[in-house]
Amino acid sequence: MNCFRLRGSLVAAAMMAAPVVMAAYLILVSPTAVLAGGTPVGDEFEVSTTGSANQISPGRSVARAGDGSFVVVWAKNFGGNSGYDIVARRYAANGTALGAEFVVNSYGTGIQRSPAVEIADSGSFIVVWADNSFRDGTFLSVFGRVVDAAGVPQGVDFVVPTYTDAAQDDPDIDLAADGSFVVVWQSSAQGQAPYSGIAARRFTANATPIGDEFMVENFTTEDQRTPVVALDGDSNFVVVWASGDYTAGLDGSRGGISARLFSSTGAPLGTEFVVNQTTADYQISPAVDRNDAGTFAIAWQDQVSESAEQSRIFARSFTATGTPITNEIQVHEGFTARQMEPGIAIDNAGRFVVAWSTYDYYGTYMEGVSAACFEANGTDDGPVFTPQNDLSEGAFRTDVAADPQGNFVLVWSRRSPVEPAAVARMYSRGAAATTSTTTSTTTTTTMSTTTTSTTSTTMPSGGGQTCGDPVVDAGAGSPLRAEIITASDALLILNAAVGLQVCAPCICDVTGEGSVTASDALLVLSAAVGLDVTLNCPPCDA
């Protein structure tokens, strides 16, 4: 489905059935605005091929290079016992698998879980994960491994932390342009016992440590948990985490989302700051991504309470210096289910994509994954959509990665009849929105041709009874009542919805809401392509 969104009715089938209409609309509004969303590139495909318990983990499970190639990682049980390995599979930019899946970790005892991955433009990548094998003296630690551009693991697993007196968990990673990287993780009782804190450590491209680990936060009351990290083109980085347990957080409530900026040398650029604006109850499970210019976007789960099985997904973007670009955005409509564990990806134009899991405790008890696209200023760029072909199949734990142009890959775990499977789907995205002082206000369009003029047209307020058929006869200045609803009608209504034309509600308000919106245009478009819809038209004054 396209990521074309102006909040309102979702008419997915109509949009998919009439791509010419959507392409025509881009012509209609250009150069005032180019609305560019994401379009599926092929169908969903299964990443995992062998074994059982293939499970995408919350966090950075997919990474995409500048040329569009990507890698997916997940935890996998090959033998049906308690042991898990970290598995990866590489793909070309067009989605062609570059070989079979392979085990990343060199050590095969215990449970290897919670992997995170980042890929360099050269095609080499680094995977980090949590390991409970006691091999560094503690029951839970963080390890990693370098994999070259041909998909060959290099050396053996390297240990990330130096502190081994308590559990180290929930790692995340991001790479600089030169291949050096930063790893962050949750470190129990390090320097602020009995609470956990956020540790970070820098490495060269060959996994040689650049100094010791260091603690990220200043605020040390209650636990600091589930960190994520993102680097810009100059190797400056931002660390984001859930601050405070369920009693106190930096935001003054039960817990919130904190972030802190660092230079390329690891020097802090100020203290941490609160990301979320809604501070009631608690906010958890952050995700972050940053583009080359330093703009970054953060998504998180907003939990009503520990007992209420309801939660929302919010997102917010920031400049390179940490100044908010947007207010927090609820990325989906409604609040009747549990929305969980978001992933986020940003392109070099500042546009971002948010993906998340849904678990409905109130109705169907069904799992699913969803995503939504946004422009750099936070405006919607398409309806919330699901990449799943079969909505009856359970799906959970999703992540998303984008290339610099905004083309993105979604991954998730799909419930199969026996065990979960790792699944992916690719999307392309058009050019970023642009603005111009030139205005194109009047348009007459058919499915095959488009003509524009610079005169302004106002639709008359009376006379029409065929709501949804508002094509203008410019010479007479009155509705052309052909009694046939076409894509031209939908495009004219959409122009009215975004302010390029004026159309009276009695002609263009087919939802009966009292105003002309994109919902009306999408409903008329569905009628134009033959879907069974009901037009709720208010009467026109005589």
Side-chain angles (χ1 to χ4, degrees), residues 27-94:
I27 297 171
L28 291 176
V29 299
S30 178
T32 302
V34 178
L35 301 178
T39 303
V41 179
D43 210 343
E44 66 181 62
F45 55 92
E46 191 165 321
V47 177
S48 54
T49 57
T50 60
S52 62
N54 307 290
Q55 185 166 306
I56 296 295
S57 300
R60 198 169 302 220
S61 297
V62 59
R64 196 164 202 186
D67 65 357
S69 60
F70 59 96
V71 58
V72 185
V73 296
W74 65 98
K76 187 168 192 173
N77 184 325
F78 282 96
N81 53 35
S82 60
Y84 278 75
D85 288 306
I86 303 304
V87 179
R89 197 172 191 189
R90 301 159 53 242
Y91 288 85
N94 63 2

Side-chain angles (χ1 to χ4, degrees), residues 309-343:
E309 296 295 348
Q310 291 180 316
S311 56
R312 300 171 289 186
I313 302 299
F314 284 97
R316 196 177 191 189
S317 63
F318 296 81
T319 68
T321 60
T323 302
I325 296 173
T326 68
N327 290 321
E328 64 180 29
I329 303 162
Q330 183 174 326
V331 303
H332 54 87
E333 295 180 354
F335 190 28
T336 59
R338 192 172 187 180
Q339 322 292 327
M340 303 179 296
E341 299 168 343

